Amino acid sequence: MAFETIALGDVERFDETTDVLVIGLGAAGAGAAIEARRAGADVTVIERASAGGGSTALSGGFIYLGGGTRVQKLNGIEDSAQDMYLYLREMSPEADPAKARLYADSSVDHFDWIEANAVPFDDRFYPHKHYEHSSAESLAWTGNEQVWPYREIAKPAPRGHKMPGKDEKHVGVGETGGGGQVLMEGLIATAETLGVRIECDANARQLIVDADGRVVGLRYTRFQQDHYVRARRGVVLATGGFSMNQEMMDEYCPVFADEVFGKLGSGYVQGVGHRLGESAGGVFEHMDGFFITSPFYPPESLLKAILVNVEGKRFVAEDSYHSRSTAAVLAQPERRAYLICDNAIFGRCEYPHDLIDAWETVEEMERDLKLPEGALQKTMANYNAHAASGEDPEFRKLPKWVQPLTEAPFAAIDCSIGSTPILGFTLGGLKTSAKGEVLYADGRPIPGLYAAGACASNLAYDSMGYSTGTCIGESTFFGRQCGKYAAAQAAA
Ligand SMILES: Cc1cc2nc3c(=O)[nH]c(=O)nc-3n(C[C@H](O)[C@H](O)[C@H](O)COP(=O)(O)OP(=O)(O)OC[C@H]3O[C@@H](n4cnc5c(N)ncnc54)[C@H](O)[C@@H]3O)c2cc1C
């Protein structure tokens, strides 16, 4: 459903006035509010839920940061802003290069800002492959940095920095008490200490626009009552993604709209910020982009297996980051894929993937999986011939994940889309500048309007290129940009 703006001349009274009005109190809204307040602005945040936190508070709280952070250095990890930039560019080639450059160059500073405004990261490094380790170590590999060809384009470094959870052994994606909640509690406490006004149970409805097209306020409702708030310097949209709005999902993100995919996040991420921005002239980018995952590791030994499609052929480096492997499965015929392992590497997936069966020979497995005659045998023979010398010329897995699969019995694990829970969230949003300004289609900024987080399009735009931590990283970072630049505008 399209939203309409209200002309300033039609507003009879304003119930309140502020310099910077932030809509939504997740990672992006908190970043915006803190920076705007520090820049001297009077700041009000309205939040639809009864408390701030949003989807961010449900997350594990990984933040993609690099270039030589305190924790990277403590663990002897060498990284540079240039390598981080090259990696981000390669993984998100359609994303704005100026934003990737700014984000990489500012990453150490942003790490320090998060520690100063939320809580310190744990000092330790978790060296294994996991989709979300449950122990407290902060630093981990959360992308495709070591995967070919990316490892040749940018020097690999782990850049996922997890906020400490409520306890050392916090487990569970989407559960409370994880790093995302700790992050949000810290940021909200900082905002409150600085004097940011937070109004909860407040649902943003319509932007108010003056005769020159400048956004100067908002109508919101609180317990069925209309409220009109005037924003002298700017309005920041920070309402999160649109995974929970089926109509928008069907319209913009039809592949992910399918009920086979579980939607992660707060029930309030319904694309309201997207629609508000659109009503003022904003346009969208990468709206069909989404993150999905159904990881087949741990155990790590399964990275030594091969993933094949219904033609019995491999199609992705199996040591890819889990969202990349899942996205690659989605692109296969019938969306079907099997993880083939031998007895030497077999282990039960931690994630609930079904073991189809085990067979004494590859020929029997191929027949029972109804793969074309000889296809899997050929794939395995080819893989094993090179694996004997630790090589994988087809997809260039790292040698430590390459070993011949020759020890019977041979098992097949179902990695097909629909055979196991596949979870995700949307990535597309309003087109914005590196300052966070919402842009018209021709690239001009809409006066007075800013957006960040999952309602804007910044660095992350698909599962193939996603590195965990990019969303909260860009939400907090570009949220800060919005707050800083909105506060600096002349009062309307
Ligand atoms: C389970 C889970 C795990 C994740 N793990 C990670 C991770 O480890 N690392 C990572 O980078 N990303 C992760 N993500 C993605 C990441 O959490 C989000 O992309 C990011 O937090 C978005 O931040 P945001 O501030 O834009 O939105 P949110 O945190 O969702 O905040 C938006 C806020 O706006 C409010 N709002 C919405 N509509 C209105 C309205 N009309 N009026 C007023 N307020 C409104 C909402 O109530 C909400 O509080 C995860 C997501 C989920 C759900």
Side-chain angles (χ1 to χ4, degrees):
M1 189 180 68
F3 283 28
E4 286 181 2
T5 58
I6 303 175
L8 177 60
D10 292 341
V11 179
E12 287 175 12
R13 57 172 170 85
F14 280 103
D15 300 293
E16 54 187 297
T17 299
T18 189
D19 286 332
V20 176
L21 175 68
V22 179
I23 308 173
L25 189 52
I34 291 170
E35 289 300 77
R37 187 77 195 104
R38 284 232 170 88
D42 183 42
V43 182
T44 300
V45 181
I46 67 148
E47 164 55 49
R48 185 165 176 183
S50 298
S55 298
T56 314
L58 297 174
S59 76
F62 276 97
I63 311 179
Y64 199 77
L65 299 161
T69 67
R70 183 182 65 75
V71 180
Q72 283 181 319
K73 283 187 177 154
L74 264 179
N75 288 282
I77 307 284
E78 284 181 24
D79 195 12
S80 69
Q82 177 65 4
D83 280 309
M84 184 172 175
Y85 166 74
L86 290 174
Y87 176 74
L88 288 172
R89 286 295 295 133
E90 197 56 31
M91 297 311 298
S92 307
E94 286 174 32
D96 181 345
K99 288 179 178 172
R101 170 62 74 190
L102 181 68
Y103 187 76
D105 286 352
S106 312
S107 193
V108 172
D109 170 77
H110 192 48
F111 173 96
D112 295 342
W113 185 91
I114 288 166
E115 289 210 308
N117 291 289
V119 292
F121 290 99
D122 183 272
D123 289 349
R124 293 163 293 170
F125 173 45
Y126 178 86
H128 308 292
K129 286 272 260 187
H130 202 297
Y131 56 92
E132 189 168 321
H133 62 277
S134 56
S135 47
E137 299 91 337
S138 163
L139 187 60
W141 294 98
T142 60
N144 291 289
E145 299 86 353
Q146 293 179 298
V147 177
W148 186 84
Y150 312 105
R151 63 175 178 257
E152 290 178 5
I153 290 158
K155 188 174 169 209
R159 301 192 182 101
H161 290 71
K162 185 171 91 158
M163 275 271 121
K166 291 266 180 194
D167 56 58
E168 175 85 3
K169 268 280 174 203
H170 171 75
V171 187
V173 174
E175 290 178 7
T176 53
Q181 186 180 341
V182 171
L183 171 71
M184 285 313 305
E185 285 176 359
L187 293 180
I188 292 171
T190 298
E192 285 173 336
T193 304
L194 289 170
V196 169
R197 238 181 345 269
I198 298 171
E199 188 80 59
C200 291
D201 301 303
N203 186 2
R205 300 286 190 170
Q206 287 176 286
L207 292 173
I208 300 167
V209 176
D210 73 11
D212 299 326
R214 177 169 176 170
V215 175
V216 293
L218 179 84
R219 177 177 79 87
Y220 69 89
T221 52
R222 189 160 191 272
F223 305 127
Q224 278 83 49
Q225 295 278 315
D226 269 335
H227 291 261
Y228 291 84
V229 52
R230 172 129 203 181
R232 284 186 296 240
R233 297 180 196 276
V235 172
V236 180
L237 305 172
T239 54
F242 61 98
S243 300
M244 303 303 168
N245 182 329
Q246 192 62 40
E247 193 183 312
M248 281 183 76
M249 290 287 281
D250 290 340
E251 182 176 358
Y252 297 110
C253 202
V255 175
F256 181 47
D258 192 320
E259 63 186 20
V260 77
F261 301 107
K263 317 297 185 285
L264 289 170
S266 146
Y268 290 128
V269 293
Q270 296 185 6
V272 169
H274 294 71
R275 289 301 195 204
L276 291 171
E278 185 186 38
S279 71
V283 290
F284 299 140
E285 281 187 329
H286 307 125
M287 288 292 275
D288 57 352
F290 54 89
F291 164 87
I292 49 165
T293 192
S294 69
F296 63 76
Y297 63 84
E300 274 186 334
S301 65
L302 291 178
L303 293 158
K304 297 176 181 169
I306 59 170
L307 258 181
V308 300
N309 60 18
V310 290
E311 291 162 356
K313 293 180 181 156
R314 292 174 71 206
F315 52 88
V316 71
E318 292 82 1
D319 59 353
S320 294
Y321 194 54
H322 50 85
S323 64
R324 180 179 173 80
S325 312
T326 306
V329 171
L330 183 61
Q332 298 312 301
E334 301 171 34
R335 298 175 164 187
R336 300 202 66 78
Y338 307 110
L339 189 71
I340 311 295
C341 29
D342 75 348
N343 191 47
I345 64 162
F346 179 75
R348 293 273 182 177
C349 300
E350 199 174 294
Y351 201 78
H353 288 283
D354 285 338
L355 169 66
I356 299 174
D357 210 342
W359 298 265
E360 281 307 311
T361 67
V362 174
E363 196 178 349
E364 290 168 292
M365 168 156 59
E366 180 183 271
R367 188 194 57 220
D368 286 358
L369 294 177
K370 299 188 171 42
L371 304 180
E373 197 178 332
L376 181 59
Q377 295 176 70
K378 189 173 161 199
T379 297
M380 293 277 279
N382 185 35
Y383 181 78
N384 287 340
H386 294 101
S389 48
E391 286 170 14
D392 172 25
E394 204 176 2
F395 291 102
R396 306 202 199 178
K397 274 203 283 190
L398 277 180
K400 70 172 173 175
W401 306 126
V402 178
Q403 85 180 37
L405 305 172
T406 50
E407 186 182 316
F410 301 93
I413 294 168
D414 202 351
C415 291
S416 306
I417 303 293
S419 68
T420 184
I422 302 190
L423 304 173
F425 43 80
T426 59
L427 295 173
L430 290 158
K431 181 176 172 177
T432 54
S433 71
K435 294 176 183 171
E437 301 152 313
V438 179
L439 304 176
Y440 292 112
D442 64 10
R444 282 179 303 123
I446 299 173
L449 191 61
Y450 299 79
C455 68
S457 178
N458 280 303
L459 300 175
Y461 67 82
D462 71 13
S463 284
M464 288 301 277
Y466 189 73
S467 300
T468 289
T470 329
C471 279
I472 298 179
E474 65 168 62
S475 296
T476 44
F477 180 77
F478 289 104
R480 290 176 62 199
Q481 292 286 98
C482 292
K484 194 165 77 181
Y485 285 101
Q489 297 309 301

